Amino acid sequence: MSRLEDVQVEMLEKARELFQLCDKDEKGFITKVDMQRLQSELPLTPEQLETVFDSLEQNNKGYLTPVEFSMGLGKLIGIELCQGPGRMDHSRHEETFESGWSDDLDPADDDEEKRFCSMMEQLGAAQLFEDPHEIQELWARLRKERPELLSNFEEFLLRVSSYIKEVNHEKESMEQALKRKESDHDREVRCLYEEMEQQIKAERERLVCQEALRHDRSNLLQKELHSKEQELEKILYRQKKLEHQLQSLNSEQLETRVQNERLRHLNENLLEELEKSKWELEAVKGQLQKLQKEAQLEQEQKDRDVFRVSKNMQKEKQSLLRQLELL
């Protein structure tokens, strides 16, 4: 059997060991959660293990069978694993990658360390793995024993590194977009709240101003009403006084004819004044009733305005609360 077949056998055995390590419940398949058990075997973070799982799982079923896991792992590395019964009888069938790593490699070699670090930097994977020691051992083993596979392994590292970088970049982009969206949302809510406060303040100031104007007008109407009442009292007093004088003159009209004529003439004048006073009294009463009616209408209008404004403010408040709940 050729050296390539030996590598295929070793890779297949290693893949089976890794699969069995993941499938401790012996379900016959593994999921992303099961694959996290490889953290102790491979120098990969949980996110990187998920990335490798996604690259192996091509049908979007959410799980990997043993054949899919082995073949997928082989294709990533660049080795076509064959599982035919006639190709598994080699004497090195029972050996795995782990069996020869610690005996054959010397990772402390300075030149080899520099070459590995330079290769990792060229691939852009120097900072992606938490512990690249096992990758360095595998790279060194392939470089010494299977140099024809070294380029495939480096290509596999390049693809994995690129995929991990792309996933990390998408993750950072999504986090930044989420932060921007949260910031925009907070700013919109804050602006809406400030606008609501300004509207409430402006409406309150407008109501206070209207209330002051109504109060001043009401005070003016009350003063006018009080003045008209005083004038009415004076007119009534004059009327009573004139009536008293008229009665006095009527009692004295029998004294003399001259006095009677004079009293009659005076009586006519007093009657004219009385009629004029009555007319003025009626006019004043009409004005007083008109002012009372205007005051009553003004008070009713004031009550309606206050009720309407209060109702409008309640509706605006409920509308703003609904908008805040929707946001």
Side-chain angles (χ1 to χ4, degrees):
M1 186 177 294
S2 65
R3 295 173 63 86
L4 179 60
E5 290 177 349
D6 292 341
V7 174
Q8 290 177 348
V9 171
E10 292 182 7
M11 290 298 300
L12 182 59
E13 289 297 326
K14 183 62 177 180
R16 287 177 178 175
E17 289 181 6
L18 294 176
F19 186 87
Q20 291 175 359
L21 179 63
C22 295
D23 188 21
K24 290 186 176 181
D25 299 332
E26 299 182 355
K27 302 187 297 295
F29 61 89
I30 61 173
T31 62
K32 283 186 179 181
V33 178
D34 297 330
M35 200 162 182
Q36 297 299 323
R37 295 169 179 161
L38 294 180
Q39 292 185 51
S40 60
E41 296 292 328
L42 300 177
L44 299 176
T45 63
E47 293 78 7
Q48 292 170 341
L49 286 173
E50 289 187 4
T51 302
V52 174
F53 183 91
D54 293 336
S55 64
L56 296 178
E57 196 262 318
Q58 302 294 331
N59 298 325
N60 296 324
K61 297 180 297 184
Y63 63 89
L64 292 172
T65 62
V67 175
E68 290 173 339
F69 180 80
S70 301
M71 296 302 176
L73 189 60
K75 288 180 180 179
L76 283 178
I77 299 176
I79 303 175
E80 194 71 28
L81 298 181
C82 299
Q83 291 185 328
R87 306 183 66 177
M88 304 297 292
D89 299 329
H90 195 267
S91 60
R92 297 177 64 185
H93 174 271
E94 296 180 356
E95 296 181 359
T96 64
F97 285 154
E98 293 178 344
S99 62
W101 283 1
S102 58
D103 298 333
D104 299 337
L105 299 180
D106 185 10
D109 185 78
D110 294 337
D111 294 337
E112 192 171 88
E113 180 77 20
K114 291 179 180 179
R115 291 194 191 96
F116 176 76
C117 293
S118 176
M119 182 271 299
M120 292 292 284
E121 291 179 357
Q122 290 177 0
L123 296 178
Q127 304 298 328
L128 294 180
F129 302 98
E130 294 181 355
D131 184 12
H133 179 69
E134 294 185 5
I135 296 177
Q136 181 179 355
E137 289 183 350
L138 178 59
W139 176 81
R141 183 181 179 87
L142 290 175
R143 180 171 169 272
K144 290 180 179 180
E145 298 182 1
R146 302 290 188 273
E148 69 277 5
L149 300 180
L150 189 61
S151 61
N152 293 335
F153 179 70
E154 292 178 355
E155 182 180 359
F156 164 72
L157 288 178
L158 176 62
R159 286 191 293 174
V160 171
S161 301
S162 300
Y163 188 75
I164 292 174
K165 288 181 179 178
E166 182 179 354
V167 171
N168 291 335
H169 179 69
E170 292 179 356
K171 179 182 178 182
E172 292 176 357
S173 300
M174 292 179 65
E175 290 177 350
Q176 293 177 359
L178 181 60
K179 290 180 179 179
R180 288 195 299 268
K181 187 173 181 181
E182 290 178 352
S183 178
D184 294 340
H185 176 70
D186 293 339
R187 184 169 57 255
E188 290 177 359
V189 172
R190 185 167 55 255
C191 292
L192 183 61
Y193 180 77
E194 292 176 355
E195 182 180 355
M196 181 186 68
E197 289 292 335
Q198 292 176 358
Q199 291 178 354
I200 293 175
K201 183 178 179 180
E203 186 67 21
R204 187 182 295 112
E205 292 177 353
R206 187 178 66 84
L207 289 176
V208 170
C209 183
Q210 290 182 354
E211 183 66 23
L213 291 175
R214 290 193 184 95
H215 186 265
D216 294 341
R217 188 172 181 182
S218 176
N219 291 336
L220 181 60
L221 290 175
Q222 288 179 0
K223 289 180 181 179
E224 291 180 358
L225 180 62
H226 183 66
S227 177
K228 294 299 181 182
E229 288 177 351
Q230 289 179 349
E231 291 179 2
L232 179 60
E233 289 178 357
K234 291 179 180 180
I235 292 173
L236 289 175
Y237 176 75
R238 288 174 60 190
Q239 181 182 4
K240 290 180 180 180
K241 185 176 180 181
L242 290 173
E243 288 177 354
H244 180 69
Q245 291 177 359
L246 179 61
Q247 291 176 1
S248 299
L249 290 173
N250 287 332
S251 64
E252 293 176 357
Q253 58 180 298
L254 297 176
E255 293 181 359
T256 60
R257 202 170 216 185
V258 178
Q259 289 179 353
N260 191 26
E261 288 294 329
R262 289 175 62 188
L263 288 173
R264 186 174 63 81
H265 182 67
L266 182 59
N267 188 30
E268 289 176 356
N269 292 334
L270 291 173
L271 288 174
E272 289 178 359
E273 290 181 2
L274 180 61
E275 289 297 327
K276 184 179 179 179
S277 298
K278 287 183 177 180
W279 181 83
E280 291 177 354
L281 179 61
E282 292 295 330
V284 171
K285 286 183 177 179
Q287 291 180 359
L288 180 61
Q289 292 177 356
K290 183 178 180 180
L291 290 174
Q292 290 177 346
K293 186 175 181 180
E294 288 180 357
Q296 184 178 1
L297 292 175
E298 181 68 21
Q299 185 64 31
E300 292 177 356
Q301 182 66 28
K302 177 181 177 182
D303 294 339
R304 286 195 296 270
D305 291 343
V306 171
F307 177 76
R308 185 173 65 257
V309 169
S310 177
K311 188 175 182 180
N312 291 336
M313 288 184 66
Q314 186 67 24
K315 288 182 179 179
E316 291 178 0
K317 183 177 180 181
Q318 293 177 357
S319 176
L320 290 173
L321 289 174
R322 285 195 296 269
Q323 292 180 8
L324 289 175
E325 291 176 357
L326 291 175
L327 291 175

